Amino acid sequence: GQQLNQSPQSMFIQEGEDVSMNCTSSSIFNTWLWYKQDPGEGPVLLIALYKAGELTSNGRLTAQFGITRKDSFLNISASIPSDVGIYFCAGQLGNTPLVFGKGTRLSVIA
Amino acid sequence: DAGVIQSPRHEVTEMGQEVTLRCKPISGHDYLFWYRQTMMRGLELLIYFNNNVPIDDSGMPEDRFSAKMPNASFSTLKIQPSEPRDSAVYFCASSLFLDRTTNEKLFFGSGTQLSVL
């Protein structure tokens, strides 16, 4: 089925550093979402984007819906230890289930 | 609301055994999804239901996998017979709508970690 290319696969960063991850698709979406999965839990929605070019923030998190509608990025500023987890991008076209990327595993070294 | 409830949290079984995973969606949610998470393939949609009716099961890997939703508050995912390659985390999720403007309503359970030896 349809898949999203999410990168990087994993990241090891120092506490306080900024983080950037992105997601690309060969086809367009009209919704982009970013989820975070804590260890041993299910994914939880962080940010939802509904318009091409849209830039949305949620605290230290900022995400953008690419102008081509085929990509999105997520930035985390001033990382802290509790940012550890797996971050998933997800896309949707029309009234269909979400398609998820494979995730970016983030490790924060204190 | 207690959220999406899955059981068991962990399941260890031997190859060839039948495995049944259970899910209770959030009350009032019309859509229920089963996902499988592995390192290699990430989160894969297996099947989803609308008002207890299976809508798309194209993600179900083989005939060994089956899912049912006998009523609005309960769903099962069964693997019979199980194989080591079925080892993964299986998530159930539910939502009120499938409309693009209400994606924030997609809630995941805590998952079932399945290990088939």
Side-chain angles (χ1 to χ4, degrees), chain A residues 3 30-31 33 35 37 40-45 48-51 65 86 88 92 94-98 100-103 105, chain B residues 9 33 35 37-45 48 56 89 91 98-111:
Chain A
Q3 279 205 321
N30 55 21
T31 302
L33 304 162
Y35 283 79
Q37 182 183 19
E41 298 297 329
V44 173
L45 183 68
L49 303 156
Y50 300 111
K51 277 173 41 176
F65 190 140
I86 304 175
F88 290 99
Q92 187 187 37
N95 293 336
T96 57
L98 302 180
F100 283 86
K102 291 185 180 181
R105 291 179 177 272
Chain B
R9 285 298 305 268
F33 305 81
Y35 286 89
Q37 183 181 21
T38 60
M39 287 285 289
M40 289 294 293
R41 302 176 68 88
L43 270 170
E44 302 174 275
L45 177 64
Y48 78 98
D56 184 354
V89 181
F91 286 104
L98 201 53
D99 182 83
R100 64 186 288 265
T101 61
T102 58
N103 282 303
E104 55 265 45
K105 299 296 190 291
L106 181 62
F107 294 94
F108 283 83
S110 297

Side-chain angles (χ1 to χ4, degrees), chain A residues 12-19 78-81 106-110:
Chain A
F12 289 84
I13 62 169
Q14 293 278 347
E15 183 178 357
E17 288 184 356
D18 296 344
V19 174
S79 58
I80 59 178
L106 178 64
S107 300
V108 179
I109 304 166

Side-chain angles (χ1 to χ4, degrees), chain A residues 35-45 85-88 98 100-103 105, chain B residues 3-10 19-25 31-39 41-49 59-60 65-68 75-79 86-95 106-114:
Chain A
Y35 283 79
K36 183 195 177 194
Q37 182 183 19
D38 288 326
E41 298 297 329
V44 173
L45 183 68
I86 304 175
Y87 291 80
F88 290 99
L98 302 180
F100 283 86
K102 291 185 180 181
R105 291 179 177 272
Chain B
V4 177
I5 299 173
Q6 289 186 247
S7 65
R9 285 298 305 268
H10 300 91
V19 174
T20 299
L21 311 181
R22 297 173 176 79
C23 176
K24 181 181 187 310
Y31 288 87
L32 183 140
F33 305 81
W34 281 100
Y35 286 89
R36 179 172 68 176
Q37 183 181 21
T38 60
M39 287 285 289
R41 302 176 68 88
L43 270 170
E44 302 174 275
L45 177 64
L46 301 177
I47 185 172
Y48 78 98
F49 295 82
M60 297 285 261
F65 286 68
S66 62
K68 294 182 179 179
S75 176
T76 59
L77 178 68
K78 187 175 292 187
I79 308 172
D86 301 331
S87 298
V89 181
Y90 291 81
F91 286 104
C92 176
S94 71
S95 68
L106 181 62
F107 294 94
F108 283 83
S110 297
T112 295
Q113 173 78 59
L114 174 64

